[in-house]
Amino acid sequence: MLNPAAHQPRSASAWPAQPFSAVVAGTGSQVPERVLTNADLEKIVDTSDQWITERTGMKERHISAPDEAASDIAVKACEKALTEAGVESADLDLIVVGTVTGDMPFPSTACVLQQRLGAPRAAAFDVSAGCTGFIYALSVARQFVASGTSRTALVVGVELLSKITDWTDRSTCVLFGDGAGAAVLKADTRPGKGILATYLAADGNGGKHLYMPAGGSRHPASAETVRERLHTCKMNGNAIFKDAVRSMADAFRHLLRQTGLGFDDVKLMIPHQANLRIIEATAKLLNFPPERVFVNIAKYGNTSSATTIIALDEARAAGRILPGDVVILLAFGAGLTWGGVAIRF
Ligand code: ACO
């Protein structure tokens, strides 16, 4: 099902030299307070801690309160990232948010954050790429910074999938958690710093495997769509599993080709945290050492577009990324979409 054209090597002219490097100057993350354990899920649906642990690697996840929206979680992650970067929100030129569970269909959550953070000069928009949302958002923002259009950019991955979860469907409700992460990009004139390469791909043929049927123009909200639970996430987990491994491995190889880096140059791989078996299979397929793969799925479950940026923030806080280290983020998600970003810190 993978789109073969998306996997062809691209010519060097596809990446013209750009005047600036986009450096990651700060990161932050935030999850809701409430923790939902596997034992809690045993009381909601017909499942077990053993099944969830063995099949996914998840032990617990954070779930937002009924009155909590995406921007409520994201704003705290943004404030942490701005503080670390030493950037005033008033100086931001751009805010890009990867999400499919924004505060509302419109205006964008990026505009909500622009107002809440106090960033009146920033252009603001959301990017919809499922769990690849942060990778897509980071790649877009990088283009603005590297081209000289924006000097500073705030990039956010936030998802409250619990709000579109069918809590009677055991095949999906055990998988997802809520959370947010943010990164501040700054333009830098030193070459070879910050984001070294990005790779994005998509295959709309796989859209049927992961989607929310209602709430858009195809099936506008009605009493019937609510009754039939069409405002919740539908997923064919097996189909996605197979493509996920190949997609992330492909993205990794593309990034090495683009940068000219070898395996030993990559300090840490940070894959999308959707399933521990997917992560392990990807590392195995690439023959990449497992000890250099970052995993925190047990604590958060699948926070969709937030997984890679929460993991990046945690890895930095834990001292696993030092100045000069190269990190590769990888993700796949609804669309289907997939991709990756190589960053030198
Ligand atoms: N508890 C107990 N049993 C369960 C549960 C559960 N929560 N869920 C399913 N089962 C049962 C099934 O009914 C089935 O039973 P059967 O054999 O009697 O029919 C059995 O377990 C096996 O089901 P499978 O679906 O084959 O299980 P699998 O090993 O494939 O694991 C999973 C399912 C975890 C969903 C896996 O396929 C997966 O992780 N896929 C990828 C999903 C993913 O990454 N989604 C996110 C995409 S990113 C985004 O944009 C959100």
Side-chain angles (χ1 to χ4, degrees):
M1 182 222 314
L2 281 176
N3 174 5
H7 294 267
Q8 299 304 313
R10 296 173 190 175
S11 70
S13 61
W15 296 287
Q18 293 185 299
F20 295 100
S21 298
V23 169
V24 177
T27 57
S29 59
Q30 183 74 31
V31 289
E33 231 171 81
R34 184 179 160 218
V35 174
L36 187 74
T37 64
N38 291 351
D40 295 328
L41 282 163
E42 285 176 352
K43 293 174 200 143
I44 301 173
V45 286
D46 180 16
T47 191
S48 65
D49 173 48
Q50 189 187 354
W51 191 95
I52 302 171
T53 306
E54 286 177 6
R55 297 296 180 112
T56 72
M58 298 169 189
K59 296 300 279 185
E60 58 188 38
R61 65 288 292 145
H62 291 249
I63 302 291
S64 49
D67 62 349
E68 243 171 352
S71 70
D72 299 327
I73 309 294
V75 75
K76 293 175 189 154
C78 294
E79 283 163 356
K80 291 175 190 171
L82 286 165
T83 301
E84 194 207 340
V87 169
E88 296 291 335
S89 56
D91 294 330
L92 283 172
D93 298 315
L94 179 69
I95 302 174
V96 187
V97 177
T99 190
V100 295
T101 51
D103 287 22
M104 44 196 143
F106 67 90
S108 68
T109 298
C111 285
V112 176
L113 287 172
Q114 189 238 32
Q115 187 272 331
R116 291 184 68 166
L117 291 165
R121 287 171 3 107
F125 58 92
D126 290 356
V127 170
S128 169
C131 295
T132 323
F134 182 75
I135 301 294
Y136 265 68
L138 190 60
S139 303
V140 170
R142 184 245 187 158
Q143 299 300 332
F144 278 80
V145 173
S147 67
T149 307
S150 306
R151 273 176 307 156
T152 56
L154 178 65
V155 188
V156 182
V158 58
E159 219 70 84
L160 268 55
L161 282 184
S162 70
K163 305 279 185 174
I164 58 162
T165 293
D166 180 348
W167 290 98
T168 66
D169 175 10
R170 69 175 182 174
S171 68
T172 53
C173 77
V174 303
L175 303 175
F176 301 124
D178 298 339
V184 173
L185 296 184
K186 273 187 189 172
D188 195 303
T189 48
R190 290 168 293 175
K193 297 279 291 177
I195 297 178
L196 305 176
T198 65
Y199 173 73
L200 302 180
D203 184 359
N205 291 308
K208 57 183 179 284
H209 295 309
L210 182 54
Y211 67 112
M212 188 176 82
S217 54
R218 178 70 60 199
H219 299 293
S222 68
E224 194 188 346
T225 60
V226 172
R227 198 167 47 244
E228 292 180 7
R229 298 181 195 279
L230 300 182
H231 297 273
T232 58
C233 171
K234 313 293 172 198
M235 185 177 75
N236 176 353
N238 280 313
I240 292 175
F241 193 113
K242 283 180 211 137
D243 271 359
V245 174
R246 220 183 100 188
S247 302
M248 289 204 291
D250 270 5
F252 187 88
R253 292 191 199 100
H254 271 281
L255 291 168
L256 289 193
R257 259 202 304 273
Q258 280 186 55
T259 54
L261 295 170
F263 269 44
D264 293 344
D265 300 317
V266 180
K267 176 74 179 296
L268 203 60
M269 177 200 291
I270 301 185
H272 177 37
Q273 311 281 308
N275 187 315
L276 183 59
R277 290 185 294 142
I278 292 176
I279 295 171
E280 288 173 348
T282 305
K284 196 169 168 208
L285 182 64
L286 288 166
N287 209 13
F288 191 82
E291 63 276 13
R292 285 196 273 138
V293 179
F294 191 84
V295 180
N296 63 3
I297 194 168
K299 287 190 290 181
Y300 303 118
N302 178 355
T303 59
S304 186
S305 62
T307 66
T308 50
I309 177 59
I310 291 175
L312 176 63
D313 188 49
E314 278 203 346
R316 294 182 71 227
R320 291 191 64 180
I321 304 171
L322 301 173
D325 284 347
V326 173
V327 175
I328 287 191
L329 310 183
L330 301 169
F332 64 92
L336 297 178
T337 56
W338 65 100
V341 178
I343 310 170
R344 190 189 301 281
F345 281 84

